């Protein structure tokens, strides 16, 4: 028989699913896949439940419910001072994952190059390849994950159609500095290309750090496609409600891709997310401070156990280097042993690379109840004791 599509055939199941399955098999505490263990705000869920019962439950408008598109535009204004026309510049998708697929399919084609920054969120590479474009990799490296000007410049060419940036960045927990964003903006303008900005963690940025959407930089308003996710902002990852903000001429083909990928998103969830986005500033402040305290709760004990805990400026992930613990083996072996023996699941960072990546880094997800984190730390403490620190 003829072969099935070469991008997806034989592709590994995502590391998140694999680690969650392993966690279940071993009855382990799952600090691997990124999802909170407490559902988001009750009032937001009540709006969804009420709307589900009261209806309507038929196809909403293809671009999304007007109330939600308005709420996305308002949120852009409230937090980032972006003036967005909700009618021509916003589309609602079934999660940021669909938003990424729609954006990539609408923007690139064979012959185009797309710059990807490694470590990268796993779906980027397959989507770019499926669109027929050529990925060009630029790595940022631990511990600072700083973008190197020379390397980035080298990645741009006359073939570059777009750069995909994830800010705040999963799995590095890095928030791009103003200078780095300026560098990206300058190169996008010089090489006349677009930026697909995965900003799903826009509201999870800690203390003295400041999230700046690339779209707000001079000259970038018309070149950026900005993606958000209700899953992250409202701790409701299973809802899969995403949103794209882009200038009308870019949104137009993206909406056409959307109309043939999912066409629309469940109306009750859209209505509830519209309500959620309009929540008071205190909601957003609490999201940040709760997660910050969880970050702090696990960071020090992890360091005391012998991990080198890398800086965490945003997202709900912390990356640790285990090379000083005396463990012999790579990150995949470390995570496998840890889930089997310590009963704690994490994610090996090498899974976030299309090319060769580092081999001694693991990512812990900390959006879990304090007692769950404490229990995981107890398990780890005992388990880590067996390795002779070097
Ligand atoms: N981008 C990044 C960087 C993510 O971490 C996630 C996490 N799930 C997504 C996109 C996908 O978001 P969604 O669940 O809304 O599809
Ligand atoms: N974004 C989540 C993470 O990084 C995973 C989402 C998924 O499993 N597709 O853990």
């Amino acid at each position: 028989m003829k072969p099935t599509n070469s991008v997806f055939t034989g592709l590994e199941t995502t590391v998140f699913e694999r680690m969650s399955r392993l966690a279940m098999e071993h009855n382990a505490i799952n600090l691997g896949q990124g999802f909170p263990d407490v559902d988001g705000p009750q009032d937001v869920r009540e709006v969804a439940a009420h709307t589900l019962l009261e209806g309507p439950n038929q196809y909403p408008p293809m671009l999304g419910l007007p109330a939600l598109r308005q709420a996305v535009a308002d949120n852009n204004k409230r937090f980032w001072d972006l003036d967005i026309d909700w009618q021509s510049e916003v589309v609602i998708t079934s999660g940021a994952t669909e938003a990424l697929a729609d954006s990539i399919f609408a923007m690139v084609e064979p012959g185009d190059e797309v710059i990807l920054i490694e470590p990268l969120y796993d779906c980027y590479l397959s989507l770019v390849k499926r669109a027929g474009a050529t990925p060009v990799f630029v790595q940022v490296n631990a511990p600072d994950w700083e973008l190197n000007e020379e390397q980035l410049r080298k990645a741009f060419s006359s073939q570059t159609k777009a750069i995909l940036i994830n800010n705040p960045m999963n799995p590095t927990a890095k928030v791009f500095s103003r200078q780095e964003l300026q560098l990206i903006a300058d190169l996008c303008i010089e090489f006349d290309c677009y930026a697909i900005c995965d900003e799903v963690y826009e509201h999870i940025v800690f203390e003295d750090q400041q999230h700046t959407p690339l779209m707000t930089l001079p000259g970038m308003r018309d070149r950026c496609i900005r993606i958000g996710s209700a899953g992250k902002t409202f701790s409701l990852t299973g809802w899969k409600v995403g949103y794209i903000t882009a200038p009308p001429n870019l949104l137009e083909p993206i909406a056409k891709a959307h109309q043939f990928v999912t066409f629309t998103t469940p109306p009750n969830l859209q209505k509830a997310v519209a309500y959620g986005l309009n929540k008071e500033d205190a909601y957003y402040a609490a999201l940040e401070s709760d997660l910050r305290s969880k970050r702090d709760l696990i960071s020090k004990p992890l360091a005391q156990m012998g991990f080198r805990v890398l800086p965490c400026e945003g997202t709900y992930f912390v990356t640790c280097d285990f090379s000083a613990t005396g463990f012999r083996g790579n990150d995949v072996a470390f995570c496998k042993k840890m889930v089997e023996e310590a009963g704690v699941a994490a994610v090996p960072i090498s899974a976030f690379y299309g090319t060769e990546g580092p081999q001694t880094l693991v990512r812990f997800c900390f959006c879990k109840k304090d007692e769950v984190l404490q229990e995981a730390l107890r398990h780890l403490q005992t388990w880590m004791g067996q390795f002779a620190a070097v």
Side-chain angles (χ1 to χ4, degrees):
M1 286 204 287
K2 287 180 178 158
T4 49
N5 178 268
S6 61
V7 173
F8 294 116
T9 307
L11 192 67
E12 252 189 324
T13 301
T14 83
V15 70
F16 311 116
E17 179 76 17
R18 277 186 282 135
M19 289 314 301
S20 284
R21 276 188 214 162
L22 268 183
M24 264 187 266
E25 250 169 60
H26 294 280
N27 207 11
I29 299 172
N30 191 355
L31 307 186
Q33 189 177 30
F35 63 90
D37 61 355
V38 174
D39 281 344
Q42 168 112 4
D43 53 350
V44 174
R45 287 183 283 135
E46 274 168 4
V47 174
H50 181 76
T51 313
L52 187 79
L53 293 175
E54 296 297 312
N57 284 290
Q58 309 311 322
Y59 295 133
M62 191 265 279
L63 293 177
L65 287 186
L68 179 51
R69 284 185 282 149
Q70 278 167 11
V72 170
D74 291 349
N75 211 263
N76 268 300
K77 181 69 185 169
R78 167 156 56 133
F79 289 98
W80 319 121
D81 199 24
L82 280 164
D83 287 301
I84 303 296
D85 173 24
W86 69 268
Q87 304 210 54
S88 62
E89 297 189 304
V90 178
V91 63
I92 307 307
T93 59
S94 291
T97 310
E98 193 219 318
L100 284 156
D102 296 345
S103 304
I104 292 167
F105 294 160
M107 299 302 295
V108 310
E109 57 199 334
D112 291 337
E113 291 177 359
V114 178
I115 298 173
L116 300 176
I117 300 176
E118 288 181 312
L120 47 80
Y121 182 60
D122 65 346
C123 70
Y124 299 171
L125 182 55
S126 293
L127 290 173
V128 166
K129 284 190 187 161
R130 190 62 193 90
T134 307
V136 175
F137 299 102
V138 176
Q139 286 196 358
V140 290
N141 299 310
D144 309 327
W145 310 104
E146 255 170 43
L147 199 53
N148 178 282
E149 177 166 0
E150 209 178 310
Q151 282 169 10
L152 186 65
R153 174 167 281 281
K154 257 202 227 141
F156 277 81
S157 79
S158 58
Q159 302 301 110
T160 310
K161 177 65 79 66
I163 180 169
L164 212 165
I165 90 157
N166 177 208
N167 181 30
M169 189 178 183
N170 175 12
T172 64
K174 163 195 173 73
V175 176
F176 281 72
S177 69
R178 180 79 196 192
Q179 288 84 331
E180 289 172 314
L181 293 172
Q182 189 61 58
L183 174 65
I184 296 170
D186 290 345
L187 289 166
C188 283
I189 292 165
E190 183 180 332
F191 287 86
D192 184 21
C193 57
Y194 301 100
I196 300 172
C197 305
D198 177 347
E199 300 183 10
V200 298
Y201 300 102
E202 61 190 329
H203 293 298
I204 308 177
V205 172
F206 303 124
E207 301 161 297
D208 45 345
Q209 297 298 321
Q210 165 76 35
H211 174 61
T212 305
L214 187 62
M215 192 182 244
T216 61
L217 268 67
M220 293 307 284
R221 175 68 172 77
D222 294 337
R223 292 184 181 276
C224 285
I225 296 157
R226 205 173 91 73
I227 294 171
S229 169
K232 315 295 171 197
T233 298
F234 300 107
S235 302
L236 293 162
T237 59
W239 278 22
K240 302 295 289 187
V241 179
Y243 17 92
I244 304 175
T245 304
N249 62 319
L250 304 187
L251 197 82
E252 201 260 343
I254 291 170
K256 298 296 157 55
H258 164 70
Q259 77 179 352
F260 294 142
V261 175
T262 60
F263 180 72
T264 192
T265 298
N268 65 317
L269 302 183
Q270 291 199 48
K271 198 159 171 204
V273 171
Y275 167 87
L277 284 172
N278 290 325
K279 276 175 90 70
E280 66 290 354
D281 289 354
Y283 169 76
Y284 294 87
L287 179 70
E288 183 273 331
S289 63
D290 283 357
L291 287 168
R292 175 159 37 96
S293 81
K294 291 181 187 299
R295 176 198 66 176
D296 296 342
L297 188 159
I298 70 159
S299 295
K300 205 164 168 198
L302 286 172
Q304 281 162 348
M305 281 172 217
F307 284 109
R308 177 169 185 209
V309 181
L310 304 185
C312 170
E313 301 171 337
T315 78
Y316 39 55
F317 305 112
V318 66
T319 294
C320 293
D321 190 332
F322 62 80
S323 52
T325 62
F327 178 84
R328 296 229 200 95
N330 65 14
D331 57 345
V332 175
F334 187 88
C335 287
K336 187 160 177 290
K337 245 184 153 26
M338 188 164 67
V339 75
E340 288 168 357
E341 296 178 2
V344 177
V347 171
I349 295 287
S350 58
F352 294 84
Y353 286 77
T355 61
E356 184 80 6
Q359 302 289 313
T360 61
L361 302 178
V362 295
R363 187 195 81 175
F364 292 98
C365 170
F366 56 77
C367 53
K368 308 291 175 184
K369 292 190 214 69
D370 287 359
E371 58 270 29
V372 171
L373 295 173
Q374 270 147 355
E375 167 110 29
L377 290 168
R378 275 196 296 274
H379 287 221
L380 286 175
Q381 207 139 26
T382 313
W383 182 69
M384 293 280 284
Q386 69 181 296
F387 306 116
V390 289

